[in-house]
């Protein structure tokens, strides 16, 4: 599990803010605590996404009657704040899920593979942020704005455990903007190039980017513990393993998850995933080829009405989405919406999408899934 | 004209190195000074590209019998080093080109538009790094490894002035890698997403990126003089003006210059140009669609033999091109070479290209053009 982001880092870069806004504490405590609410568990609570789970649960007044803070043995005994109260982190064990209705997992694939099924056996509904079960045909892969029907029938209170997978951050951010267009004109082919933030590799990667940047500015050799390549003032191909077809795992997630979420085995997707020295929001340059004509004004109108999407597309002022504009925001931002000059008949569009990787790319999407369980 | 990069910045980030390597000084002076060599002028000599002109001329032992250092009135009187000697910068005027055989221009489009034709009238051959004449059908647009035939017949010693345009940096870097593949399998369509360095906006932009990064790390508000958006730990759509078709000028350069350089009015190109917080080398994610099948092994073989191109494509070690790996290097690096899973029949490839923006993207290419004039 990634270490908890230092408060110093949080302050400078608006990383996960683990504390609810003080002015809301009393109100939130009253609204979110409910005797008949579900019992919750957060697995990997000390990581960047784990901390954001707490922040989002709090911001959205998610109802709960109890909450367990779970992490590795190393983090057990630490204290985390939630709704203005201190909670002691417990070590994750096979017994952790007794009586837990909903568990939000973000502790890496191997933890999910081991403890996810154990939790389901105990009747817990697991919302898993790892890649462990995403392509399992028995596990729904859900973006609530896109395919809530995939988890139909899975509800708290039925006494039945279940697994639901949170898609990869790049997929969520991309499909939030592309799906409304797809529904209108049917995407035949999508070419994606990503500009991915440090946060996708955890809080330790964010801290290393800060440390390296300081070192480079001071003329010192940069410390490279998390990534092989220098990250400060540089960029590099995503650190995920490269498969035999030459794509890395991150890229193939975009290819495969899109097919599953859209229930469309024929949609053609290619992707190039790159890490850039940005803290917590991803950007994606997306080229779309449609079956039916779609002009850019129609596209803009569709996106204007898309839930969870805002348009930033001021050509005169040269103002478009940036990672900083969406950091700590729920909504995905879309801009640079334009007819692709390389495709005839209004059958192509280029768009540029930004989204907070920790929030909608991970924690928010998982909490939205959990809301559908109630 | 952009201000001269501070030596402090140069030291930390390997920006333009204005001084020839000391151990080579005596050798270089003897080799490059030639009584029957051409007389040179460098316009915009105090800018990032201007300084790199001197560095490249020196590194390549470019023969010369005299050299004029030209810049704006503001920079006149400053001193620049070349081949171990101090040269005083003169103010650029209509009379600057008397007796000058070759002038290398990099002082912005308006300077080129005004002084370029004046120089040509005096019999000077102008190699222009601005966009002023690139799309002029009477002006060759040349990448020496790609289309040297476009400047056939233009030579020093004929007593005839001429204009030759240096393509845009993104175009040069892209076409260095893509042209060899195009010649083999014919590119029908190309989708480019760029990751562009600060240097493309001049030395002042590089300095602002350093300054902003320091400020952000110190918790201060970042100084935004050059760009509207924060640059440190962020990225944004390229600052070039956005045209009525929604593309910005930088993107349309890739579209139009590719057609001109390849003499192929039908090639389909689309591009999304993004600035990333990197100092002096661009990266480009390029998706290629071919008329004829081209498998990735054949592509790798073709690129291995391409002049000015190196392959960095170690899948097992996850080592691919990065901006830092090509900074201050002449060669363009290509990697992530793979069959596009979204196109059937081996008719698509994805590749990732990096190249030093100041060097091959500007100064080196211009000096190579000048070499063809001798």
């Amino acid at each position: 599990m990634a270490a908890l982001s230092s408060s110093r880092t949080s302050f400078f870069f608006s990383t996960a803010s683990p504390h609810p806004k003080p002015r809301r504490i009393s109100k939130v405590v009253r609204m979110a605590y409910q005797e008949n609410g579900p019992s919750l568990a957060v697995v990997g609570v000390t990581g960047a996404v784990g901390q954001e789970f707490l922040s989002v649960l709090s911001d959205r007044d998610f109802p709960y009657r109890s909450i367990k803070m779970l992490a590795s043995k190393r983090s057990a005994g630490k204290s985390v704040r939630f709704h203005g109260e201190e909670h002691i982190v417990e070590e994750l064990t096979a017994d952790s899920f007794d009586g837990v209705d909903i568990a939000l997992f973000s502790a890496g694939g191997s933890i999910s593979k081991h403890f996810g099924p154990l939790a389901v056996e105990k009747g817990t509904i697991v919302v898993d942020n790892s890649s462990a079960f995403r392509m399992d045909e028995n596990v729904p892969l859900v973006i609530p704005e896109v395919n809530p029907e995939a988890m139909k029938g899975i509800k708290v209170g039925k006494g039945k455990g279940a697994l639901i997978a949170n898609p990869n951050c790049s997929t969520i951010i991309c499909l939030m903007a592309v799906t409304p267009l797809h529904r209108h004109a049917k995407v035949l082919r999508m070419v994606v190039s990503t500009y991915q933030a440090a946060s996708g590799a955890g809080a330790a990667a964010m801290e290393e980017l800060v440390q390296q940047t300081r070192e480079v500015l001071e003329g010192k050799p940069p410390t490279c513990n998390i990534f092989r390549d220098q990250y400060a003032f540089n960029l590099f191909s995503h650190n995920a393993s490269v498969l035999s077809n030459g794509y890395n795992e991150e890229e193939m997630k975009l290819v495969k998850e899109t097919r599953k979420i859209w229930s469309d085995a024929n949609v053609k997707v290619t992707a190039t995933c790159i890490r850039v020295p940005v803290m917590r929001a991803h950007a994606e340059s997306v080229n779309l080829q449609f079956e039916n004509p779609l002009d850019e004004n129609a596209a803009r109108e569709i996106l204007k009405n898309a839930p969870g999407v805002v348009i930033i597309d001021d050509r005169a002022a040269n103002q478009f989405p940036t990672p900083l504009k969406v950091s700590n925001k729920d909504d995905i931002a879309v801009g640079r919406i334009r007819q692709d000059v390389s495709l005839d008949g209004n059958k192509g569009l280029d768009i540029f999408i930004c989204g907070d990787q920790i929030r909608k790319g991970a924690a928010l999407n998982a909490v939205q899934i959990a809301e559908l369980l109630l």
Side-chain angles (χ1 to χ4, degrees), chain A:
Chain A
M1 282 170 227
L4 182 58
S5 173
S6 76
S7 62
R8 192 169 165 79
T9 311
S10 302
F11 179 73
F12 291 142
F13 296 103
S14 308
T15 56
S17 103
H19 311 301
K21 299 170 194 84
R23 62 177 173 80
R24 295 189 57 195
I25 288 177
S26 56
K27 174 167 160 270
V28 168
V29 170
R30 277 200 302 273
M31 286 187 65
Y33 174 79
Q34 294 182 9
E35 224 168 298
N36 60 350
S39 65
L40 307 180
V42 175
V43 178
V45 72
T46 56
V49 175
Q51 288 290 298
E52 197 78 8
F53 278 147
L54 299 186
S55 177
V56 173
L57 288 168
S58 166
D59 285 355
R60 297 174 74 89
D61 296 333
F62 194 94
Y64 70 103
R65 70 167 185 276
S66 66
I67 186 163
K68 270 191 190 178
M69 308 298 186
L70 300 169
S72 67
K73 194 172 183 174
R74 190 166 46 86
S75 294
K78 283 186 184 170
S79 166
V80 292
R81 281 182 78 83
F82 179 61
H83 278 311
E85 284 176 10
E86 296 294 328
H87 294 255
I88 301 302
V89 177
E90 298 172 43
E91 182 186 352
L92 172 65
T93 69
D95 299 327
S96 296
F97 301 98
D98 289 328
V100 170
D101 296 316
I102 301 173
L104 305 176
F105 272 63
S106 187
S110 56
I111 297 289
S112 292
K113 266 184 198 149
H114 183 69
F115 289 97
L118 292 176
V120 172
E121 266 177 43
K122 304 253 172 150
T124 304
I125 301 175
V126 171
V127 184
D128 182 31
N129 191 47
S130 83
S131 62
F133 302 104
R134 283 181 194 147
M135 296 314 296
D136 184 327
E137 59 182 19
N138 297 313
V139 175
L141 182 67
V142 177
I143 305 171
E145 292 88 344
V146 172
N147 63 334
E149 69 284 358
M151 55 181 282
K152 206 178 127 190
I154 307 179
K155 291 279 178 190
V156 164
K158 291 190 167 181
K160 242 185 109 187
L163 277 165
I164 302 169
N166 213 30
N168 188 43
C169 46
S170 309
T171 312
I172 295 173
I173 290 165
C174 182
L175 296 194
M176 280 294 290
V178 174
T179 304
L181 305 173
H182 172 59
R183 289 202 178 122
H184 199 274
K186 196 171 191 323
V187 171
L188 295 178
R189 182 168 176 252
M190 176 160 81
V191 179
V192 184
S193 295
T194 70
Y195 304 68
Q196 296 187 227
S199 57
M206 299 166 79
E207 284 165 19
E208 184 160 298
L209 175 54
V210 172
Q211 182 186 354
Q212 277 195 13
T213 306
R214 285 188 205 281
E215 288 165 343
V216 170
L217 287 172
E218 288 164 13
K220 294 176 188 166
T223 306
C224 295
N225 290 329
I226 309 281
F227 302 118
R228 291 180 200 180
D229 288 290
Q230 179 179 322
Y231 199 2
F233 302 103
N234 198 21
L235 54 84
F236 48 84
S237 182
H238 193 283
N239 49 297
S241 298
V242 180
L243 306 165
S244 58
N245 68 355
Y247 283 73
N248 63 42
E249 286 176 352
E250 184 79 2
E251 291 158 355
M252 287 310 293
K253 287 173 186 173
L254 259 161
V255 174
K256 290 180 180 173
E257 293 178 16
T258 299
R259 289 184 196 144
K260 179 167 175 176
I261 293 166
W262 283 356
S263 301
D264 179 355
N266 297 319
V267 62
K268 306 286 190 188
V269 179
T270 184
T272 298
C273 289
I274 304 294
R275 279 225 193 268
V276 294
V278 162
M279 278 295 157
R280 61 171 287 158
H282 288 353
E284 304 185 26
S285 165
V286 180
N287 177 270
L288 298 167
Q289 197 168 347
F290 297 102
E291 185 170 85
N292 305 309
L294 178 63
D295 76 35
E296 65 178 47
N297 293 326
R300 206 169 279 114
E301 208 52 42
I302 291 164
L303 290 168
K304 206 177 279 173
N305 297 312
V309 174
V310 294
I311 296 179
I312 306 176
D313 204 28
D314 185 342
R315 293 177 180 178
N318 218 322
Q319 284 297 299
F320 302 106
T322 72
L324 280 187
K325 283 176 192 160
V326 297
S327 289
N328 297 295
K329 300 276 168 60
D330 285 354
D331 289 340
I332 300 305
V334 191
R336 300 303 319 279
I337 303 160
R338 61 205 191 280
Q339 221 72 52
D340 175 352
V341 294
S342 78
L343 287 173
D344 296 330
N346 281 2
K347 290 192 171 173
L349 276 182
D350 278 299
I351 59 176
F352 188 65
I353 311 170
C354 290
D356 186 300
Q357 185 275 329
I358 311 181
R359 210 159 173 93
K360 182 58 185 173
L364 172 61
N365 197 73
V367 173
Q368 287 175 306
I369 289 172
E371 288 172 347
L372 294 179
L373 297 173
L374 305 179

